[in-house]
Amino acid sequence: GESMAQAEDDMRQLLRQRHRLQPGQEDDFQIRNLTEIANTAAGAATTLSLLLAAVAAISLAVGGIGIMNIMLVSVTERTREIGLRLAVGARRRDVMRQFLIEATSLAAIGGVIGIVAGLGAAFAVSARFGWPLLVEPQSILGAVLFSGLVGVFFGWYPAKRASRLDPITALRTV
């Protein structure tokens, strides 16, 4: 860092001498330090990453709310089935597990579809512009696992609601 500042000062003095600039006169040249440019680029990349993370978080929340709504409708539509299962001896945790598995499956399938779409877009952009593409299997596995966790998180309430239905009341519904 110190040597860069010294080098800039030396270059400025040499250029001022070669351009025959007087001691109070303004420079008619610019000296740019690549470190400043690199820092600016790194700041822009960080801002872009944060923006992308915010968009992803909003997308996950919207998808999770969609899964919750689908599961709540499913519980409402299958009230008689749930009541019958509970009446013939199914435990509440079995009903809850069934609905959690359904919600997790929905979310994981959505995650896989998103990964396939993302990989397709990445390959298309890479081929179009000749850029190298690096896809890490750990990131794909992490994305599928995270989408499954979103399914568990947003499927918990509908599953709990289904498991707490009263069998007699559920069998009476039309």
Side-chain angles (χ1 to χ4, degrees):
E2 290 178 24
S3 62
M4 286 296 290
Q6 182 62 41
E8 283 182 42
D9 286 340
D10 292 345
M11 281 189 279
R12 180 169 280 110
Q13 289 175 4
L14 181 63
L15 285 171
R16 286 186 64 80
Q17 179 185 11
R18 298 260 169 102
H19 288 209
R20 296 187 175 100
L21 296 174
Q22 297 302 316
Q25 202 173 359
E26 193 173 315
D27 293 341
D28 62 351
F29 57 89
Q30 292 180 353
I31 298 176
R32 292 202 173 111
N33 186 343
L34 291 181
T35 306
E36 294 172 10
I37 295 170
N39 289 341
T40 303
T46 301
T47 303
L48 187 61
S49 295
L50 289 174
L51 182 64
L52 198 58
V55 169
I58 291 169
S59 297
L60 282 172
V62 169
I65 291 169
I67 288 171
M68 186 186 315
N69 286 336
I70 289 170
M71 295 308 298
L72 285 170
V73 168
S74 179
V75 168
T76 304
E77 293 290 324
R78 296 163 57 190
T79 301
R80 289 181 58 88
E81 172 196 333
I82 296 165
L84 184 61
R85 285 191 68 205
L86 291 170
V88 297
R91 294 173 294 203
R92 294 189 184 282
R93 70 175 179 223
D94 295 330
V95 173
M96 188 168 181
R97 187 178 300 134
Q98 173 188 350
F99 280 91
L100 277 176
I101 289 171
E102 288 179 20
T104 304
S105 299
L106 273 173
I109 289 169
V112 168
I113 291 170
I115 289 168
V116 169
L119 285 174
F123 281 119
V125 168
S126 174
R128 170 70 175 97
F129 295 108
W131 294 340
L133 180 65
L134 174 65
V135 178
E136 295 184 13
Q138 300 93 337
S139 62
I140 293 174
L141 180 63
V144 171
L145 289 175
F146 195 76
S147 65
L149 287 174
V150 167
V152 170
F153 181 78
F154 284 97
W156 185 263
Y157 174 71
K160 194 72 162 170
R161 186 171 170 185
S163 70
R164 292 195 175 186
L165 286 175
D166 179 38
I168 295 169
T169 307
L171 288 172
R172 284 188 188 155
T173 59
V174 178

